[in-house]
Amino acid sequence: MSGVSKMLRPKLRKRKNKASLISWRFKLICSCILMSLCGLLSRIAWLQVISPDNLVKEGDLRSLRVQAIPTVRGMISDRAGRPLAVSVPVNAIWADPQELYDLYNAGGVTFDNRWKALSDALSISFDQLTTRVKANIKSKGTGRFIYLARQVSPEISNYIKNLKLPGIHLREESRRYYPAAQATSHLIGFTNIDGQGIEGIEKSFDKWLTGVPGERTVRKDRYGCVIEDVSVVDSRAAHNLTLSIDEHLQTLVYQKLSNAVEFNKAESGSAVLVDIKTGEVLAMANSPAYNPNNLSNTPKETMRNRAITDVFEPGSTVKPMVVMTALQRGIVRENSVLNTVPYRVNGYRIKDVVRYNKLTLTEILQKSSNVGVSRLALAMPPSALLETYVRFGLGKPTNLGLVGESSGLYPQKQRWSDIERATFSFGYGLMVTPLQLVRVYATIGSYGIYRPLSITKTYPSVAGEHIFPESFVKTVIHMMESVALPGGGGVKAAIKGYRIAIKTGTAKKVGPKGRYINRYIAYTAGIAPASHPRFALVVVINDPKAGKYYGGTVSAPVFSTIMGGVLRSMNISPDALLPSDKNKLATHRNKNTNVRS
């Protein structure tokens, strides 16, 4: 027995040693596995709990997409709510070069008949289209967006969508449409292809008309399908704009002005109509005009709003202010008679088109006598006319809010020669815009109340500032009525059934060298009805070449047709003078009617 036990002991020891080795290895492996698990768990905790931002960012870059929520540009309408500028829905056709690259390498892009149909729909040659597409898919990383066409109509867009071309997508946008077209082109202006105002009201009120686009953040799967709405930032809607313009009157003014420019073979023409009671601009037109819905081949100079940018010497249209100033300062009385025989000042001869030995104040305006008003001016201090002109707004911008408005040219002199004072009284030595001149006549029509002009609808109307005594203004308005009566220089401006107070004018144009040339500007400014003035109108015809160039023969008939149409359209009751009243104003000394003012 003892021998057997001795033989078994070594075997038992070996078994024990082997079991302890296995146990040690097991513990080592378990420890390593445990440590690995701890490391993995620590890394997971670090990535998922402690510092997950980077991982989340990487994931969002692959799945999150930001979609713009577009906002439509505000509508521009006239005072009655009729649309003058609206945004219509269209689409942009664009290609994804990255998507086309992947498909191209996989052999999935073949320029078959569908591409030919796309080129026909976009009016692009097939070769031009394929060349442009291939140029953007030859190399990886060329971008994810290229335009193929902009402002495509919904009908063509749906046709392209149904072609189901790979890598070709549609994007919603809008296009500006102008219902009145040429009639409001200079006033309303237009936008560029991205909806930014470039000219006119569109540019001047661009911030007001432009909203703020919103954003929609979504999560997409690998197939491009939206699986989650993450966040939404609402868009801020654009503001609509209601103008003081009356579309019907605007169209009337534009049509009559265009006819006159064509008839007189003139370079251009401008007309501005203002509501005297409120200062609102009811119409502002220029000719020639352009079509804002189709700007192809439109020269830039045609886009200029001449009513606010172009300046000219106002000529005889300032003479009513000279008479008002003389009455106010006591230089003359309403029934005064002046010596109007031609005379010399500083070596220059002051004369009228027709010689008159003496004229009353009414006759000075009726005959548009340069001699008469210059004698009044020389009897006053040099500052007198300067102050009156400035009070009525000459030399100052109207602050209408339109980009590009000129403030005119106004002399800033300390010393004036007699000849400068004389010519200043009949409208030479300063320059104004048609808009500034109509503001002067709107102030006259409101009996000396100066109101700011407005291109937007105003309610209630602005009270205004009294800048000249009402009695003198009314007296001069009564005198101005004689201009359109027989014997006056503006008889062709007469409107049957209505009393009007006007002044016509003619000025030579200044040439490139700063000297007067034998080209003319004819204009007529006035108010109606004269008994209770409601509207002020200025008509300017630039460089007529049909043979006649005086304001009384060129612009006065246009004034008559426009103002007559306005009065009838607005249902203004006739206030024609009685024959006995006409005899008080009309002067028949000269049997031949003079219309050369």
Side-chain angles (χ1 to χ4, degrees):
M1 292 294 293
S2 61
V4 175
S5 61
K6 288 180 179 180
M7 291 177 64
L8 292 174
R9 284 174 184 171
K11 292 181 178 179
L12 292 172
R13 287 195 193 103
K14 288 181 179 179
R15 288 177 180 175
K16 288 180 179 178
N17 290 337
K18 190 175 182 180
S20 63
L21 180 61
I22 293 172
S23 176
W24 176 81
R25 288 177 177 175
F26 177 76
K27 290 178 179 178
L28 179 62
I29 292 171
C30 288
S31 298
C32 290
I33 292 173
L34 183 61
M35 290 175 63
S36 298
L37 288 173
C38 290
L40 288 172
L41 290 173
S42 298
R43 182 60 178 167
I44 291 172
W46 176 264
L47 293 174
Q48 296 287 348
V49 179
I50 300 174
S51 182
D53 296 341
N54 189 55
L55 192 62
V56 171
K57 181 180 178 182
E58 291 293 329
D60 289 345
L61 288 175
R62 289 168 173 78
S63 62
L64 289 186
R65 296 291 180 266
V66 177
Q67 299 176 339
I69 302 176
T71 179
V72 179
R73 189 174 177 85
M75 182 177 71
I76 302 175
S77 58
D78 80 339
R79 61 187 304 107
R82 292 180 285 261
L84 299 177
V86 295
S87 295
V88 295
V90 290
N91 289 281
I93 310 301
W94 63 279
D96 184 348
Q98 186 64 57
E99 185 179 349
L100 290 170
Y101 174 83
D102 295 337
L103 291 170
Y104 186 78
N105 287 340
V109 175
T110 56
F111 294 98
D112 53 19
N113 290 333
R114 291 184 300 164
W115 289 90
K116 181 66 170 62
L118 175 64
S119 69
D120 292 339
L122 298 180
S123 299
I124 304 174
S125 69
F126 182 70
D127 292 338
Q128 183 181 354
L129 176 64
T130 55
T131 300
R132 186 176 180 189
V133 171
K134 287 179 179 178
N136 285 278
I137 64 175
K138 290 296 184 182
S139 60
K140 190 176 180 68
T142 54
R144 301 298 304 265
F145 189 97
I146 58 166
Y147 278 120
L148 296 182
R150 301 287 303 275
Q151 297 187 347
V152 179
S153 67
E155 293 78 11
I156 296 178
S157 299
N158 290 332
Y159 173 75
I160 293 173
K161 184 178 180 180
N162 292 331
L163 292 176
K164 298 181 180 179
L165 286 166
I168 304 300
H169 305 277
L170 276 65
R171 177 182 178 182
E172 292 183 1
E173 57 181 9
S174 62
R175 178 182 181 181
R176 212 64 167 154
Y177 174 67
Y178 304 94
Q182 287 92 337
T184 59
S185 57
H186 292 101
L187 178 63
I188 302 299
F190 57 90
T191 63
N192 62 14
I193 199 169
D194 293 313
Q196 298 171 328
I198 300 299
E199 289 286 347
I201 295 288
E202 292 279 26
K203 182 174 183 179
S204 302
F205 293 84
D206 188 56
K207 290 184 178 179
W208 179 263
L209 294 167
T210 304
V212 178
E215 288 184 350
R216 178 191 178 208
T217 304
V218 299
R219 194 178 301 280
K220 292 186 175 182
D221 62 14
R222 60 178 296 185
Y223 301 106
C225 300
V226 176
I227 59 175
E228 180 187 0
D229 282 322
V230 177
S231 64
V232 175
V233 178
D234 293 333
S235 60
R236 191 188 72 193
H239 299 94
N240 294 329
L241 184 65
T242 302
L243 301 183
S244 58
I245 298 298
D246 185 304
E247 186 194 11
H248 291 164
L249 299 182
Q250 176 74 21
T251 302
L252 168 70
V253 171
Y254 170 72
Q255 290 176 345
K256 301 300 182 183
L257 180 68
S258 297
N259 292 340
V261 169
E262 183 179 358
F263 178 78
N264 291 285
K265 298 179 181 178
E267 178 183 330
S268 64
S270 300
V272 185
L273 177 70
V274 169
D275 187 327
I276 290 174
K277 295 184 180 298
T278 63
E280 294 173 309
V281 177
L282 299 177
M284 181 188 294
N286 297 275
S287 180
Y290 64 93
N291 185 0
N293 297 309
N294 183 10
L295 295 172
S296 58
N297 302 321
T298 301
K300 288 186 177 180
E301 57 269 19
T302 307
M303 299 177 183
R304 185 172 77 250
N305 186 355
R306 296 174 181 270
I308 66 171
T309 61
D310 288 15
V311 294
F312 58 93
E313 289 180 309
S316 297
T317 55
V318 302
K319 290 176 181 177
M321 287 185 285
V322 179
V323 176
M324 285 182 206
T325 308
L327 288 170
Q328 182 196 27
R329 291 181 175 263
I331 305 298
V332 289
R333 294 182 179 180
E334 185 179 350
N335 57 355
S336 296
V337 178
L338 274 70
N339 176 16
T340 52
V341 175
Y343 68 108
R344 288 188 175 272
V345 178
N346 299 145
Y348 294 90
R349 191 164 187 260
I350 305 296
K351 63 177 182 177
D352 295 324
V353 176
V354 177
R355 179 188 173 102
Y356 303 103
N357 292 328
K358 56 183 179 179
L359 295 172
T360 64
L361 289 182
T362 298
E363 290 169 340
I364 285 174
L365 291 179
Q366 185 187 42
K367 305 298 183 184
S368 196
S369 172
N370 291 344
V371 177
V373 292
S374 63
R375 288 192 182 276
L376 292 176
L378 292 175
M380 294 183 282
S383 61
L385 277 186
L386 284 171
E387 291 176 2
T388 300
Y389 286 2
V390 170
R391 284 183 186 180
F392 279 85
L394 297 185
K396 297 187 294 184
T398 64
N399 296 320
L400 198 62
L402 298 180
V403 174
E405 181 186 354
S406 171
S407 59
L409 297 174
Y410 199 73
Q412 303 292 334
K413 295 182 179 182
Q414 298 297 326
R415 295 182 178 180
W416 289 70
S417 66
D418 287 345
I419 187 62
E420 287 174 332
R421 293 167 59 194
T423 56
F424 196 60
S425 68
F426 46 85
Y428 286 84
L430 73 159
M431 303 191 89
V432 301
T433 64
L435 186 63
Q436 287 178 308
L437 189 57
V438 79
R439 178 175 60 179
V440 170
Y441 276 75
T443 305
I444 293 175
S446 60
Y447 303 135
I449 297 176
Y450 180 92
R451 289 187 179 89
L453 300 183
S454 176
I455 197 63
T456 56
K457 188 176 181 179
T458 59
Y459 184 83
S461 60
V462 180
E465 176 188 0
H466 227 122
I467 55 109
F468 214 86
E470 180 177 334
S471 59
F472 297 123
V473 179
K474 283 185 174 181
T475 298
V476 172
I477 289 176
H478 194 57
M479 294 177 179
M480 290 167 61
E481 291 186 58
S482 66
V483 178
L485 294 175
V491 66
K492 291 189 176 182
I495 304 170
K496 186 176 181 179
Y498 293 93
R499 294 163 53 187
I500 61 172
I502 67 161
K503 193 71 196 74
T504 61
T506 309
K508 278 191 172 184
K509 297 188 69 172
V510 178
K513 296 182 180 179
R515 295 185 176 182
Y516 291 112
I517 57 178
N518 289 324
R519 296 167 66 184
Y520 300 87
I521 300 176
Y523 35 84
T524 299
I527 57 177
S531 58
H532 296 91
R534 176 70 188 279
F535 304 108
L537 173 65
V538 167
V539 177
V540 179
I541 304 296
N542 178 27
D543 195 15
K545 302 183 184 70
K548 298 177 181 180
Y549 55 83
Y550 285 109
T553 56
V554 174
S555 58
V558 190
F559 183 97
S560 176
T561 56
I562 291 177
M563 186 62 86
V566 170
L567 293 171
R568 288 185 285 270
S569 297
M570 302 300 288
N571 295 319
I572 304 299
S573 300
D575 65 338
L577 291 170
L578 297 174
S580 58
D581 295 325
K582 290 183 181 180
N583 292 332
K584 295 177 183 178
L585 291 170
T587 301
H588 300 286
R589 295 178 185 175
N590 181 9
K591 298 297 182 181
N592 297 322
T593 300
N594 172 29
V595 291
R596 295 183 177 182
S597 177

